[in-house]
């Protein structure tokens, strides 16, 4: 069944940056476990950015996006099986896989892009930057910080 993108007029999800970071850290840990990888110590990194509109405009309400990266360690030869297992688990949970591969020219070079069923966040997993590195990324759409109380 095709998924429709979120309504651009729906209210933005409200989440404090610290809560978004904790949630994304837990999600990357889940991805690593599901892939059979261990998270590399100290590899968890959040990157917050302001939301920008179609014409480069930014609102003054603090809305932001988060890209949270972490590195899993897993022998490269096991990366194809890791993304295969992840794909199966994510599709069971209703995610849409938008890009997928296990090898390039017969060598392990895994890649998996998936979209949350409601399109609110995206997952990127792939071989990268080292012999045993499985890169894990969670990217959000715009989030709105809670209103400050007076």
């Amino acid at each position: 069944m095709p998924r429709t993108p979120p309504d651009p007029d729906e209210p933005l999800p409200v989440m404090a940056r610290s809560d978004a970071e904790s949630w994304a850290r837990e999600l990357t840990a889940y991805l690593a476990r599901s892939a059979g990888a261990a998270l590399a110590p100290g590899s968890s990194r959040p990157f917050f950015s302001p939301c920008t509109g179609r014409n480069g405009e930014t609102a003054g309400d603090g809305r932001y996006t988060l890209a949270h990266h972490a590195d899993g360690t897993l022998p490269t030869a096991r990366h194809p099986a890791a993304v295969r297992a992840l794909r199966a688990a994510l599709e069971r949970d209703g995610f849409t896989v938008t890009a997928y591969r296990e090898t390039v020219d017969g060598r392990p070079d895994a890649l998996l892009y998936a979209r949350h069923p409601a399109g609110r966040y995206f997952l990127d997993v792939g071989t990268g930057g080292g012999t045993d590195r499985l890169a894990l990324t969670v990217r959000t759409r715009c989030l709105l910080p809670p209103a400050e109380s007076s």
Side-chain angles (χ1 to χ4, degrees):
M1 170 196 307
R3 307 261 189 231
T4 57
D7 179 350
D9 296 322
E10 76 177 79
L12 294 177
V14 175
M15 187 179 287
R17 285 179 182 233
S18 60
D19 292 339
E21 184 178 348
S22 293
W23 164 81
R25 185 179 298 116
E26 290 173 15
L27 188 50
T28 53
Y30 163 77
L31 292 172
R33 281 191 310 275
S34 296
L39 280 179
S43 71
S44 183
R45 307 172 298 286
F47 296 95
F48 292 96
S49 302
C51 287
T52 56
R54 193 171 308 162
N55 299 313
E57 69 276 9
T58 58
D61 58 5
R63 60 187 69 186
Y64 66 93
T65 61
L66 169 62
H68 186 273
H69 305 283
D71 295 333
T73 56
L74 185 70
T76 305
R78 293 181 41 205
H79 287 194
V83 293
R84 201 173 312 126
L86 276 172
R87 180 180 192 166
L90 292 171
E91 286 179 338
R92 271 192 307 272
D93 289 340
F95 281 77
T96 299
V97 173
T98 59
Y100 179 83
R101 75 169 181 241
E102 296 179 9
T103 62
V104 171
D105 297 329
R107 293 186 319 273
D109 192 357
L111 175 105
L112 170 79
Y113 294 162
R115 180 173 40 101
H116 178 264
R120 289 186 173 80
Y121 62 92
F122 309 88
L123 307 173
D124 303 345
V125 177
T127 300
T131 57
D132 293 343
R133 180 174 178 246
L134 188 65
L136 310 163
T137 303
V138 175
R139 295 179 293 114
T140 69
R141 291 181 56 226
C142 286
L143 300 172
L144 190 62
E148 294 183 22
S149 52
S150 310

